[in-house]
Amino acid sequence: MRLIYEGKAKRVYELDNDTLLLEFKDELTAFDGLKRDAAPGKGTYAAALSAFLFKYLEDHGIETHFIEYDGGRMLKVLKVEMIPLEVIVRNYAYGSQLKRMPLLKPMQKLEPPIVELHYKSDELRDPLILPEDAIAANVITDEEWKLIRDLALKIDRLLSDLFAKHDLTLIDLKLEFGRRNGTIYLADELSGDTFRIVDREGKHLDKEAYRRGCSPSDLVNNYRKILEILGIKLEPIKGKKAHA
Ligand SMILES: Nc1ncnc2c1ncn2[C@@H]1O[C@H](COP(=O)(O)OP(=O)(O)OP(=O)(O)O)[C@@H](O)[C@H]1O
Ligand SMILES: [Mg+2]
C-alpha cells in the first residue's frame, strides 16, 4: 500500500489502479491550516459519517466513489480523476457569502439553493469562479457543468431531507467530484469538515464551532453527537461496489 498524498484531513493510499484507501486523520485544521490541533476520535467519526452518507446517496441513485468502510478511520474508494473544483451548495446565507454580498442577512433562507464554484488552489485560497471560467479553461465541459450542478442540487436535497428528519438543518455543503470512464462520481468526504449543520437550538455540530474557539475535544464530541442523532454505529459498511 503506497501513500500517494497527505492532505490536511486525510492520507490517501493507492491499493491498485482502481482503488484508494482514505485514512481520516485525528487532526483538526481551520483557516487554511493556520489553526491546527490533535483531535483523537475525529478521524473515526468523520469516516463513519462519510461512509453512511455515501451509502445513503448511493441508495438514492447518486454515483459516489464509495466502496466500503472498515468501521475505523479507513474508507475504500474508487480512484477517480479529481476535478479541481469545490462545488458549494448554500441553503442559508452564511460565511464568505455574507462577506461578498453584505445585503444578505445571516441565515437568510436561499430558495432555490445557490450553487457556487471555487477553483481548488491553496496558493490562491480557493477563489470563487464562474462556471464559464471553468469551462473556458477546459476544467469541465459545458455538459459536465450541467450534470454537476444538477447532481449537487440533488445531493443537497437528499441530505437536507435526511437531516431534517432528525431536526438538523443543513446550512451549506462543499462537494468534490471526479470522473472515470465518462461517469461523474461524488468523491472526497461528507462530514462536519465539509458541511455546516445546526441542531434545533441553532447549535453548530460542524467545524464552525472549532473556528469560533471551541476545544478540539468539544468538537469531537459534536461529531460523535451527529452520529448518535442519525443512529450511525461504528461498524463496517459495504457499498454497492463492494458487492459487485
Ligand atoms: N476517489 C478519489 N480519487 C482520487 N482522489 C480523491 C478521491 N477522493 C478524494 N480525493 C482527493 O484526496 C485528497 C484528500 O485529502 P484532504 O481532503 O486531506 O486534502 P486537503 O488538505 O483538503 O487538500 P486538497 O483537498 O486541497 O488536496 C484530496 O486532494 C481529494 O481531492
Ligand atoms: Mg480536503
Side-chain angles (χ1 to χ4, degrees):
M1 190 162 92
R2 192 165 65 93
L3 179 71
I4 56 168
Y5 183 80
E6 173 151 7
K8 293 181 286 293
K10 305 184 280 303
R11 287 184 197 91
V12 182
Y13 301 90
E14 190 176 55
L15 285 176
D16 53 53
N17 276 337
D18 304 321
T19 45
L20 301 177
L21 217 48
L22 302 181
E23 180 193 2
F24 286 68
K25 301 204 276 187
D26 279 338
E27 253 170 53
L28 258 168
T29 68
F31 309 115
D32 298 311
L34 281 175
K35 182 171 167 161
R36 111 182 271 127
D37 281 289
K42 188 230 174 194
T44 298
Y45 297 137
L49 181 58
S50 289
F52 176 86
L53 295 176
F54 280 131
K55 175 77 166 58
Y56 164 79
L57 292 174
E58 288 260 322
D59 290 346
H60 288 78
I62 305 288
E63 290 281 5
T64 84
H65 68 162
F66 179 62
I67 299 176
E68 66 180 297
Y69 169 57
D70 74 343
R73 292 192 292 121
M74 297 290 202
L75 219 67
K76 196 198 240 186
V77 300
L78 187 70
K79 184 179 176 183
V80 297
E81 179 202 339
M82 290 306 288
I83 298 169
L85 298 173
E86 295 195 340
V87 182
I88 296 177
V89 187
R90 299 185 179 277
N91 296 305
Y92 295 86
Y94 209 103
S96 63
Q97 187 188 22
L98 296 171
K99 289 202 182 114
R100 69 166 188 257
M101 192 11 138
L103 296 181
L104 287 165
K105 291 178 190 63
M107 282 302 278
Q108 177 183 330
K109 176 105 175 108
L110 304 168
E111 191 62 69
I114 294 173
V115 182
E116 74 187 40
L117 277 188
H118 291 248
Y119 172 51
K120 267 182 74 121
S121 157
D122 285 336
E123 304 93 281
L124 301 177
R125 307 182 67 204
D126 305 333
L128 177 70
I129 60 165
L130 299 178
E132 287 81 356
D133 294 331
I135 295 163
N138 288 319
V139 172
I140 41 172
T141 65
D142 188 41
E143 205 184 20
E144 283 177 330
W145 163 239
K146 290 196 184 96
L147 212 79
I148 287 172
R149 193 187 133 78
D150 191 51
L151 275 172
L153 286 168
K154 271 193 192 132
I155 292 163
D156 173 66
R157 187 74 266 142
L158 285 165
L159 295 179
S160 292
D161 289 349
L162 172 70
F163 292 149
K165 282 187 193 141
H166 300 275
D167 277 329
L168 298 173
T169 302
L170 180 64
I171 298 175
D172 50 33
L173 112 128
K174 187 261 312 182
L175 303 169
E176 291 184 28
F177 293 91
R179 49 170 95 78
R180 189 188 169 98
N181 300 329
T183 301
I184 300 280
Y185 291 89
L186 175 65
D188 205 47
E189 67 175 283
L190 294 167
S191 75
D193 280 20
T194 62
F195 50 65
R196 290 192 178 99
I197 40 170
V198 289
D199 67 12
R200 215 179 332 192
E201 281 80 48
K203 179 182 144 79
H204 273 274
L205 296 176
D206 59 77
K207 204 162 81 176
E208 193 64 29
Y210 173 70
R211 290 191 197 98
R212 292 182 188 179
C214 95
S215 70
S217 62
D218 281 352
L219 190 91
V220 174
N221 269 329
N222 285 351
Y223 278 28
R224 191 178 41 75
K225 206 169 151 204
I226 302 175
L227 298 197
E228 224 173 79
I229 293 172
L230 297 176
I232 304 169
K233 295 194 187 74
L234 294 180
E235 58 190 22
I237 303 177
K238 272 190 197 313
K240 277 207 277 281
K241 290 176 192 68
H243 296 293

